[in-house]
Amino acid sequence: MIYLLSYLAAISVVSIIVTTADKIKAIKHRRRIRERTLLILSALGGSVAMLITMLLIRHKTRHLKFMVGIPVIILAQAAVAFAVWRIFYA
């Protein structure tokens, strides 16, 4: 369990850093981070941190792909976590 929590903390920090870096690059009109990369980080476990960061720094909030996609990823991750919990702990 400690490994899972450590992984989720690490991927969340990476997601926050990458999302913030993309926002800074957008402001400075520099080469951006691919949307695919942001979505992959979200799917790998950084979805909650990324969504909160996006809302706080107002980044990608006009993009339907992110404002619907990331909550869908969160729901899918919660469903998988619940299913695994039911299998192993219930």
Side-chain angles (χ1 to χ4, degrees):
M1 185 60 118
I2 190 72
Y3 295 116
L4 176 62
L5 294 176
S6 297
Y7 169 78
L8 289 175
I11 196 71
S12 294
V13 169
V14 169
S15 296
I16 291 167
I17 291 169
V18 171
T19 303
T20 304
D22 189 49
K23 172 71 174 193
I24 292 167
K25 289 179 180 210
I27 292 169
K28 294 183 177 184
H29 303 288
R30 294 204 175 145
R31 189 170 177 214
R32 304 281 299 280
I33 296 167
R34 292 181 177 183
E35 289 185 349
R36 178 177 21 162
T37 302
L38 296 171
L39 291 170
I40 288 171
L41 283 171
S42 178
L44 290 175
S47 54
V48 174
M50 186 175 290
L51 182 62
I52 291 169
T53 302
M54 286 171 35
L55 294 172
L56 288 174
I57 66 174
R58 295 184 188 147
H59 187 55
K60 300 281 189 194
T61 55
R62 293 184 182 179
H63 294 259
L64 192 62
K65 181 189 299 186
F66 286 90
M67 295 314 295
V68 172
I70 293 181
V72 167
I73 291 171
I74 292 170
L75 290 174
Q77 289 169 337
V80 169
F82 180 73
V84 169
W85 179 80
R86 292 265 326 236
I87 291 169
F88 291 106
Y89 298 106

